[in-house]
Amino acid sequence: MKHFKLLITLFVFTIAVSCGQQKKYITYKVKKGETMRIIAKKLDIATKDLLRLNPDVGRRPKPDTEIFIPSKNATKLLHKKNNSKDLVVKETIQKDTIKQLDDLDDLNEDFILHTVRKGDTFYSLTRYYNVLKSDLLALNPALSEGLKLGAILKIKERVEGEKIDVIYKDTITDNAVLKVALLLPFRATVFDTVSSQDIFKNRALPNIVTDFYLGAELAIDSLRYQGIQIDFSVFDTEDRNTKINDIITDNSLEDKDVIIGSIYSDETIKLANSVKAPLVFPIFSKAQTSFRSSRIVKTSPDKNLYKEKLLSYISKEYKNENIIIVGDSTTASITEITQIANILKQHDSIKEVHQIVPHYGYIAQERFLEMMKPDSTQVTNWVIIATNNDVIASDAINSLISFPDPPKPEKPKNGEEPEEPQEKINYKVKLFGFDKYDYVAYNKLAQLGFVYVTDSYVDESSLAARVFNNQYLRKNKALPSYYATRGFDVTYDVIMRLASGKDLYDTFKDGVSYRVESKFDFSKRLFGISQNRGLFLLEFQPDLSLKRIE
């Protein structure tokens, strides 16, 4: 009798699965302790795909919640344990529901999709996916009524090979309590008897330190307003390597959840050898390449990543353009432009890359013209500025803007036919660089459609930027500088990630975050440091505005 019951059970289950195989999706009852991530792993699919199928279900559904799963993956659940009783084919599922899911799969092949979650705004979506609000409205007319939780949006058409990073979702655990230390060289004892005007006059460091602190303080205010309890301790490290040893020795940092600072690389290395908490290096330093401790988190990308970002873009966009690299006469520069040329020539279609350096400290325009292809060939000349020499870079840019007029025909002699005037030869030129050239007039850069790499970008018209600027102005009676915004972004991002209840390093796997001006795309090497790879590619437009292209 037991065997008979077992056969009947197996027979019923076989019918259920067979019916499910005729349908693209079946439902599954969530068991106690299961999360969407666990179920997705068992099904061998991405968690985001399972969430997309179930936009009204959170990451931690209650037991017995029925969710949609792909029928072709259902047997993977059975291989883990005998879960046959949890797999049900719901004959009551409306046909149009199944059709919607099938249509969604087809749609996903053509478009990048996004399921609206709590906290999403038009600004966060346009900033993350690098699209215009008008484009979103055109693809999703229902957005004219606003964003609705659970709605599936078409973001933009898929491009073959395009990679869209996972966006980090800010979450705050109940009763989040964090102890945060900020270490900056205020040098209070040195400046105690100096007037404020003299402190900041012609001194870069006091301005950087003060602005960073004011931005960090505003981040703390904002995070506390959102319910995070923060014990915020500020330490004056005074002159370089004078106070840092005392701070380490008296164990003031022993109980901290995170330490932001120092801004000096050698002090940061000392701290890394003495503390247990994550150590956030808040600004860029050339010396940060020497960091080795796994406790250190570099928030500014190394300069080699700027080159990697731009060359990757050029290789991806290349369509038979004529490439010229500009360097200077130093041995280091000549080596650099040769390396760049070799990297580009690894692209299957790039066969030739021209290199040009000054003769006697100057690059004559005639030498450029010998390498460039005229407009009549329908080929654009891509010129990469790969020198830190401002004079050479500026001269090269000037040579690329105005091209010489052809010589005037000579006056005909008696009885001779007058010469036909020669047409002026024009050239299509696009300029690329690894940094922004503030010493060059913006109208010249706009004329050349200049593309460059940067670690900061903000849409000043955005709500987030306006709110931050207004709050900073109201509190400090001045608009925020780069370092003030940097102080806000670094402090806000690190504390918000810790407020999730996770280990800081674990949150780096959960996606890319965008703050007021910064992009944080952290990666952690095995047993090594964590570094931010978040960079933007910006392009000058004819009206002098900047467009983010990556």
Side-chain angles (χ1 to χ4, degrees), residues 443-491:
N443 64 317
K444 294 181 180 180
L445 298 176
Q447 188 175 332
L448 296 170
F450 180 48
V451 173
Y452 69 99
V453 191
T454 179
D455 67 344
S456 63
Y457 169 69
V458 62
D459 177 2
E460 295 291 352
S461 64
S462 71
L463 178 62
R466 292 201 306 270
V467 168
F468 171 70
N469 288 340
N470 289 338
Q471 288 179 343
Y472 190 92
L473 179 62
R474 187 164 56 250
K475 185 170 184 177
N476 302 303
K477 307 298 185 272
L479 286 171
S481 66
Y482 166 82
Y483 284 103
T485 312
R486 184 74 185 165
F488 179 90
D489 283 352
V490 169
T491 305

Side-chain angles (χ1 to χ4, degrees), residues 295-483:
R295 291 191 182 88
I296 298 176
V297 178
K298 293 193 294 189
T299 60
S300 293
D302 290 338
K303 287 301 180 183
N304 68 297
L305 296 176
Y306 285 61
K307 180 167 68 175
E308 180 184 303
K309 178 83 172 177
L310 183 63
L311 297 185
S312 173
Y313 174 79
I314 290 173
S315 297
K316 183 175 64 177
E317 296 296 317
Y318 178 80
K319 294 179 180 66
N320 200 37
E321 287 80 7
N322 181 44
I323 301 177
I324 303 170
I325 309 174
V326 180
D328 56 58
S329 301
T330 62
T331 302
S333 178
I334 293 170
T335 301
E336 172 84 353
I337 64 175
T338 301
Q339 288 176 345
I340 292 172
N342 290 335
I343 290 170
L344 291 173
K345 284 190 283 190
Q346 291 176 9
H347 187 286
D348 292 339
S349 301
I350 301 177
K351 306 300 181 186
E352 184 178 31
V353 177
H354 301 287
Q355 302 172 45
I356 187 168
V357 296
H359 287 171
Y360 307 106
Y362 176 71
I363 302 177
Q365 189 182 54
E366 292 77 15
R367 293 182 58 215
F368 267 117
L369 298 182
E370 289 172 2
M371 296 180 177
M372 293 172 66
K373 297 198 174 177
D375 193 8
S376 58
T377 64
Q378 302 298 310
V379 174
T380 302
N381 299 281
W382 280 2
V383 180
I384 304 170
I385 303 294
T387 174
N388 294 322
N389 187 308
D390 297 353
V391 175
I392 292 171
S394 184
D395 282 345
I397 291 169
N398 288 332
S399 294
L400 296 170
I401 288 176
S402 56
F403 300 108
D405 292 322
K408 292 182 179 180
E410 294 183 2
K411 189 176 181 180
K413 296 179 181 178
N414 291 335
E416 291 183 353
E417 292 288 330
E419 291 181 12
E420 291 288 333
Q422 298 179 33
E423 289 187 13
K424 183 175 180 177
I425 300 176
N426 290 313
Y427 302 84
K428 288 183 180 178
V429 181
K430 188 164 188 63
L431 187 69
F432 297 87
F434 302 113
D435 207 344
K436 186 178 180 182
Y437 304 128
D438 288 320
Y439 51 84
V440 179
Y442 284 5
N443 64 317
K444 294 181 180 180
L445 298 176
Q447 188 175 332
L448 296 170
F450 180 48
V451 173
Y452 69 99
V453 191
T454 179
D455 67 344
S456 63
Y457 169 69
V458 62
D459 177 2
E460 295 291 352
S461 64
S462 71
L463 178 62
R466 292 201 306 270
V467 168
F468 171 70
N469 288 340
N470 289 338
Q471 288 179 343
Y472 190 92
L473 179 62
R474 187 164 56 250
K475 185 170 184 177
N476 302 303
K477 307 298 185 272
L479 286 171
S481 66
Y482 166 82
Y483 284 103

Side-chain angles (χ1 to χ4, degrees), residues 61 65 73 149 182 200 337 340 367 386 445 460 475 496 526:
T65 299
N73 298 76
L149 288 178
L182 175 63
F200 296 105
I337 64 175
I340 292 172
R367 293 182 58 215
L445 298 176
E460 295 291 352
K475 185 170 184 177
M496 180 58 82
L526 187 63

